Structures are given as C-alpha cells and as structure tokens.
Amino acid sequence: EGIRAQVVDKDRNPQWSPATIEEVDPARVDAFFAPLGDLELGLTAPQRQH
C-alpha cells in the first residue's frame, strides 16, 4: 500500500486496511505463514559444484 501511494498515485497518502496495527487479526497473519500443505512448491536450492 505504501508503494501504491508513492509510485502509482504519487499522493504519499497510503490507505492501510486495517488502519492500525491493533486492528490486525492474528489469525490472518498466521495464515500468511502457514504451510501450504498439498500446494507446497517443493523448491530446492541448487547444489554448488566444487
């Protein structure tokens, strides 16, 4: 949202939703960090060659 206000609208007036940190639902935050289950991408880092 901060990027949109700065780069897109150029008004430097972000409209956060929720408006304050106190309004953030902890369950919603947890959902961002929850395992994906069957949707896991299975990505691995390439092995270095010596």
Side-chain angles (χ1 to χ4, degrees):
E1 176 58 22
I3 296 299
R4 182 210 53 80
Q6 176 70 29
V7 176
V8 177
D9 290 347
K10 297 180 171 86
D11 62 2
R12 296 185 180 182
N13 187 23
Q15 301 297 314
W16 301 103
S17 177
T20 66
I21 193 73
E22 292 79 18
E23 295 175 55
V24 174
D25 179 10
R28 189 167 181 197
V29 174
D30 290 343
F32 279 99
F33 297 101
L36 296 174
D38 291 340
L39 298 176
E40 287 287 346
L41 298 178
L43 300 175
T44 59
Q47 299 297 315
R48 284 188 142 180
Q49 299 291 327
H50 293 274

